[in-house]
Amino acid sequence: MTELPVITHWIDGAPALGVSTRTAPVYNPALGAVAKNVLLADGADVDTAVASAQAAYPLWRDTSQAKRQGIMFNFRELLNARKGDLADILTAEHGKVSSDALGEIARGLEVVEFALGMPHLSKGEYSENVSTGVDVYTLRQPLGVVGIISPFNFPAMVPLWFFPIAIAAGNTVVLKPSEKDPSASNWMAALMTEAGLPNGVLNVVHGDKEAVDALLVHPDVQAISFVGSTPIAKYIYETAAHHGKRVQALGGAKNHMLVLPDADLDLAADAAVNAGFGSAGERCMAISVVVAVEPVADELVAKITERLKGLKVGDGMRGCDMGPLITKVHRDKVASYIDLAHTDGAEVVVDGRGIEVDGDANGFWLGPTLFDKVSTDSDAYLDEIFGPVLSIVRVASYAEGLALINRSRYGNGTAIFTNDGGAARRFQNEVQVGMIGINVPIPVPVAYHSFGGWKDSLFGDAKAYGPAGIAFYTREKAITSRWLDPSHGGINLGFPQND
Ligand code: NAD
């Protein structure tokens, strides 16, 4: 039997074995087979990575803006030139199709480009003569070592939401990616080294809860950025905050798309299919519920059903529309909602089990699945299924649809489809959700705005990237200064006032 490759950590600018010998399997989900094993760090391995980041910090913090910017620029060029290689890694370990993998990288590149503006974005402010002869100014400084913990569904983009901004701002990083598709992080860390990043500024430790817990309580880690499911996000937020860290923890989602009767139903059906089934529904911004305002539901369901028949499911390398799910366990869990929805009274309009695929029979396949007339008490409606399953909920009015969306425990993304500007404007004002699309089904903000939801979709008050990312990874100092002359002399114990 041939030995499978082992994915190591990346510490101090080089692959590192660490001390823990625990491993986890990494699958090729399109083949349904273990392709590699990944090391799972213990506390000592996390200590080594943090020590490397801590040792690199003083020099990196004091490296000029121009030099840091130059390295980030090199990284941008290398990543853009070799994005095809990274896309292949994503498809092999995550399963998403090549075009989708390239799209993920493009959105990550946007953040690198945004981070290139750090010298401008992190500038402070200056107020002259706030009191006689007194000036006040602010400056933003990095935090130190920061931890990033990322999910399986965007193995390149989510780390790229964070580490370029953290590093450009002068921090050093320990990244703990998902153990399900870990190779992309090592690839990007090696590319940063090639771009000129000093050793220790970006470290990658692989692992599970043990590694995460070690990061959360480590006294030398100043901040934690987390993206993943809601229960873990809440745990991360509470634990890291309890240990005195700055923390942002982005959680799960259940995104509704409200379709008003005046909407163009063909365009709405296209959007629902693209946003519901892209990346096999394994996106935190996927549309998972279409809220159809009557009388359009029958027509909309027919149009969506028609489109689902044309989707090609298979190996992501073969130009299909949709790939496999990440693991067999996850595929089986998602598929279990088909029986559940049926039991709870929904109509299973399209059943994705047992479909024909362009790929290996052992792959973790589930075809597009459509539920209609879903009860809002059913777990099929309430749970984040995170797979190629779209539910239709029928409502009588805009107000009923809005109330439904606002009752959700999640508030990540939502969309309204309408040609009525007044209705859209009312929706953006009234809906309790962090990111809203108006005739845009996946409203992921561009890199120079910030990404994040409300309610159980984000713990902490700091969104990811954009201006919020700069604020998160820097600390402000305010300096009040005067150059003394004899007029400042004399004793006065009163609280200083401006004059
Ligand atoms: P997950 O919560 O299982 O894992 C996320 C990270 O946490 C991984 O690095 C994992 O190793 C670690 N982890 C898992 N269990 C842990 C535990 N018990 N203690 C400590 N750490 C633990 O999430 P996932 O399945 O990898 O990703 C999918 C989830 O992420 C979905 O819920 C999706 O909505 C969410 N997500 C949210 C956003 C967003 O921006 N809001 C973006 C992408 C994904």
Side-chain angles (χ1 to χ4, degrees):
M1 221 173 80
T2 50
E3 291 251 321
L4 293 174
V6 174
I7 301 166
T8 65
H9 312 296
W10 180 275
I11 297 175
D12 222 16
L17 285 172
V19 291
S20 165
T21 52
R22 277 197 313 131
T23 59
V26 177
Y27 290 89
N28 180 328
L31 301 177
V34 180
K36 299 167 192 165
N37 287 298
V38 61
L39 287 173
L40 299 176
D42 62 11
D45 294 327
V46 171
D47 284 350
T48 307
V50 174
S52 162
Q54 181 78 343
Y57 177 61
L59 202 61
W60 184 243
R61 176 196 56 203
D62 292 340
T63 299
S64 74
Q65 299 259 18
K67 285 193 181 124
R68 282 194 230 145
Q69 199 182 20
I71 292 167
M72 202 53 74
F73 189 84
N74 293 342
F75 177 66
R76 190 266 168 208
E77 293 297 276
L78 288 169
L79 182 54
N80 192 42
R82 297 194 205 150
K83 59 190 171 200
D85 297 345
L86 181 57
D88 287 348
I89 292 172
L90 302 185
T91 301
E93 290 186 6
H94 175 281
K96 61 180 68 182
V97 302
S98 299
S99 55
D100 192 35
L102 283 167
E104 158 174 3
I105 297 165
R107 295 308 300 264
L109 265 166
E110 262 183 25
V111 183
V112 181
E113 287 158 7
F114 173 72
L116 284 172
M118 190 59 69
H120 172 71
L121 295 163
S122 59
K123 277 192 308 210
E125 294 176 315
Y126 199 107
S127 300
E128 189 185 36
N129 221 28
V130 297
S131 187
T132 308
V134 177
D135 304 327
V136 172
Y137 51 98
T138 58
L139 48 88
R140 302 203 71 91
Q141 294 187 327
L143 309 175
V145 179
V146 301
I148 298 167
I149 301 155
S150 59
F152 82 83
N153 66 318
F154 284 112
M157 184 183 77
V158 168
L160 285 168
W161 280 358
F162 301 107
F163 78 74
I165 296 178
I167 288 174
N171 300 283
T172 56
V173 171
V174 177
L175 166 63
K176 206 302 287 174
S178 170
E179 64 277 34
K180 296 191 178 112
D181 41 20
S183 295
S185 288
N186 282 20
W187 188 93
M188 291 189 288
L191 206 68
M192 281 294 265
T193 301
E194 191 178 335
L197 192 72
N199 295 344
V201 176
L202 174 59
N203 304 276
V204 180
V205 279
H206 297 291
D208 52 11
K209 179 171 170 54
E210 193 174 340
V212 172
D213 283 347
L215 264 181
L216 297 183
V217 304
H218 200 296
D220 291 337
V221 174
Q222 308 300 327
I224 294 286
S225 299
F226 171 87
V227 180
S229 58
T230 287
I232 310 295
K234 187 163 187 289
Y235 166 75
I236 300 283
Y237 177 69
E238 290 170 355
T239 311
H242 183 71
H243 285 85
K245 301 185 196 322
R246 187 177 282 205
V247 47
Q248 53 181 177
L250 287 74
K254 190 89 189 184
N255 305 313
H256 297 69
M257 170 173 156
L258 183 64
V259 181
L260 299 193
D262 74 302
D264 180 318
L265 294 188
D266 281 304
L267 297 181
D270 286 345
V273 170
N274 295 339
F277 300 98
S279 199
E282 291 174 329
R283 290 182 184 143
C284 67
M285 289 293 274
I287 290 293
S288 42
V289 184
V290 170
V291 183
V293 179
E294 294 291 23
V296 299
D298 280 346
E299 197 181 339
L300 186 60
V301 170
K303 287 178 186 296
I304 292 173
T305 308
E306 194 53 40
R307 284 159 173 76
L308 294 189
K309 286 185 199 147
L311 291 188
K312 207 167 126 195
V313 179
D315 192 317
M317 297 287 188
R318 300 192 194 171
C320 298
D321 297 306
M322 211 181 91
L325 276 79
I326 184 76
T327 57
K328 181 176 184 308
V329 171
H330 185 57
R331 191 272 315 274
D332 292 347
K333 182 172 170 228
V334 174
S336 73
Y337 280 94
I338 300 176
D339 288 330
L340 190 140
H342 182 69
T343 309
D344 287 351
E347 279 177 24
V348 180
V349 184
V350 181
D351 184 335
R353 291 173 294 194
I355 47 131
E356 256 189 43
V357 296
D358 181 9
D360 192 287
N362 294 316
F364 306 138
W365 310 112
L366 183 68
T369 296
L370 183 65
F371 303 151
D372 190 12
K373 299 179 184 159
V374 178
S375 155
T376 53
D377 297 329
S378 168
D379 286 343
Y381 169 75
L382 294 167
D383 293 355
E384 181 186 37
I385 299 177
F386 219 58
V389 175
L390 185 63
S391 293
I392 310 284
V393 174
R394 296 168 176 234
V395 294
S397 64
Y398 163 87
E400 193 187 333
L402 177 80
L404 180 70
I405 298 170
N406 284 349
R407 273 201 306 277
S408 173
R409 63 182 287 216
Y410 299 108
N412 212 39
T414 189
I416 185 168
F417 275 70
T418 179
N419 285 313
D420 179 342
R425 190 167 182 278
R426 197 176 146 189
F427 184 71
Q428 76 178 27
N429 176 262
E430 294 178 338
V431 76
Q432 304 287 307
V433 172
M435 293 172 283
I436 298 156
I438 296 176
N439 299 313
V440 173
I442 307 186
V444 174
V446 289
Y448 36 98
H449 288 265
S450 297
F451 181 106
W454 285 17
K455 301 195 264 186
D456 280 1
S457 296
L458 174 67
F459 297 89
D461 64 353
K463 291 187 166 197
Y465 66 75
I470 308 287
F472 186 79
Y473 286 126
T474 54
R475 257 191 296 232
E476 190 183 84
K477 274 181 178 163
I479 296 128
T480 303
S481 143
R482 70 181 174 186
W483 297 98
L484 294 174
D485 65 49
S487 74
H488 293 111
I491 301 298
N492 179 355
L493 302 192
F495 196 68
Q497 295 178 40
N498 299 324
D499 54 33

